[in-house]
Amino acid sequence: MRVTLLGTGTSSGVPAIGCDCAVCRSDDPRDRRTRPSILIDLGDDADRAVSVPFAAAARYILIDTAPDLRAQALAHGVRRVDAIAFTHSHADHVLGLDEVRRYNFMQGTAIPCFGDAATLGDLRRVFSYIFDGRTRAGGGIPRLSLFEIGGAFSLGGVDFVPVPVMHGPMPILGYRVGAFAYLTDCSQIPASSWPLLAGVRTLVLDALRDRPHATHFSVAEALQVVERLGPERAYFTHISHDLPHAATCARLPPGVELAYDGLILEVS
Ligand SMILES: [Zn+2]
Ligand SMILES: [Zn+2]
Ligand SMILES: [Zn+2]
């Protein structure tokens, strides 16, 4: 399977509006970071079964709908989305939800969306126009089917394992798929979640900046997680403008680097 890092920036994006720092003015394209999201392509051999009452084939799974979803889809050629799994409902992870109308139109189906109870509740409230059942003239609204996550679920014949993590005081979800794990927005991994991550070979993990932060791992804290889990490769995401790509990668240990928008990971 193939994972595309659609967005690797923190909530403000990089460059940040009105900032003249060296990273925000950098001409290295890897220093331009849109809001966090990934696309998982399960590949041709997925058996196309979905563990929900849908005829939809499941090959392309989007994790979160960032405010930059439209630009990300255009930049990275995302032509199909079969399901969406949400990590949590913060604005930088959900505000692109309306953009999935294009996929409804092209695919002719509703899109199944998976999230925990708190996330789905927030989606119903923030996007009340999608869920209030009223018919509107013109325009159109996304067609979505919400499924509350109660444990691992299967998409395209592949198990998606929710991994509870703490984002400051807020419990949110990461995901493990095979030997790959995606833990965005994380400041602590609870004891009960470490076993869910055992044997992960490719890890994408929150590392906001060097200075500590109340709701995100710093680079040093993220490196401690990498050391404990021992993946073959680790990529840091949700990156602020404090971290220039090239200079930061140069000081990270072997097998660890900053992710960047458009990075493609081949994982088993
Ligand atoms: Zn800046
Ligand atoms: Zn968040
Ligand atoms: Zn975030």
Side-chain angles (χ1 to χ4, degrees), residues 16 34 42-44 58 62 71 111 128 131 136 141 164 206 219 224 231 240-241 263:
T34 60
L42 296 175
D44 281 334
L62 188 62
I111 296 178
S128 60
F131 301 105
R136 289 176 172 78
I141 57 173
D206 186 353
V219 169
Q224 288 173 11
S240 85
H241 62 168
L263 174 64

Side-chain angles (χ1 to χ4, degrees), residues 138-150:
I141 57 173
R143 289 163 56 209
L144 308 170
S145 299
L146 304 188
F147 294 90
E148 185 179 328
I149 291 173

Side-chain angles (χ1 to χ4, degrees), residues 96-175:
L97 184 57
D98 194 77
E99 306 294 356
V100 307
R101 284 182 297 141
R102 270 299 292 164
Y103 298 106
N104 292 138
F105 178 79
M106 291 190 291
Q107 296 162 205
T109 59
I111 296 178
C113 297
F114 299 81
D116 62 20
T119 300
L120 299 186
D122 286 344
L123 291 180
R124 288 190 178 93
R125 183 174 51 78
V126 172
F127 295 93
S128 60
Y129 68 96
I130 297 177
F131 301 105
D132 66 8
R134 300 217 304 267
T135 303
R136 289 176 172 78
I141 57 173
R143 289 163 56 209
L144 308 170
S145 299
L146 304 188
F147 294 90
E148 185 179 328
I149 291 173
F153 52 99
S154 175
L155 293 167
V158 174
D159 277 352
F160 280 66
V161 179
V163 179
V165 297
M166 295 307 292
H167 178 25
M170 180 184 185
I172 74 159
L173 297 179
Y175 290 98

Side-chain angles (χ1 to χ4, degrees), residues 88 90 93 167 185:
H88 66 307
H90 280 165
H93 297 260
H167 178 25
D185 294 64

Side-chain angles (χ1 to χ4, degrees), residues 22 33 43 89 134 144 180 195 218 235 240 247:
R33 302 168 181 140
S89 62
R134 300 217 304 267
L144 308 170
F180 169 76
S218 64
Y235 300 88
S240 85

Side-chain angles (χ1 to χ4, degrees), residues 20-100:
D20 296 316
C21 80
V23 175
C24 287
R25 287 186 295 108
S26 165
D27 53 17
D28 184 338
R30 296 169 303 181
D31 285 326
R32 302 188 75 83
R33 302 168 181 140
T34 60
R35 270 61 70 84
S37 176
I38 64 171
L39 181 76
I40 297 176
D41 174 3
L42 296 175
D44 281 334
D45 53 349
D47 72 6
R48 307 313 180 89
V50 183
S51 67
V52 293
F54 274 89
R59 172 171 175 177
Y60 296 101
I61 317 301
L62 188 62
I63 310 287
D64 293 332
T65 55
D68 303 304
L69 195 159
R70 176 175 171 276
Q72 293 167 341
L74 292 171
H76 307 296
V78 182
R79 304 182 71 93
R80 184 171 181 94
V81 171
D82 296 308
I84 301 168
F86 287 97
T87 60
H88 66 307
S89 62
H90 280 165
D92 51 328
H93 297 260
V94 304
L95 285 187
L97 184 57
D98 194 77
E99 306 294 356
V100 307

Side-chain angles (χ1 to χ4, degrees), residues 157-209:
V158 174
D159 277 352
F160 280 66
V161 179
V163 179
V165 297
M166 295 307 292
H167 178 25
M170 180 184 185
I172 74 159
L173 297 179
Y175 290 98
R176 175 170 185 170
V177 186
F180 169 76
Y182 180 62
L183 305 180
T184 183
D185 294 64
C186 181
S187 55
Q188 193 215 326
I189 298 174
S192 54
S193 289
W194 288 97
L196 301 174
L197 297 166
V200 161
R201 294 201 293 275
T202 304
L203 174 67
V204 176
L205 178 66
D206 186 353
L208 180 73
R209 63 188 191 191

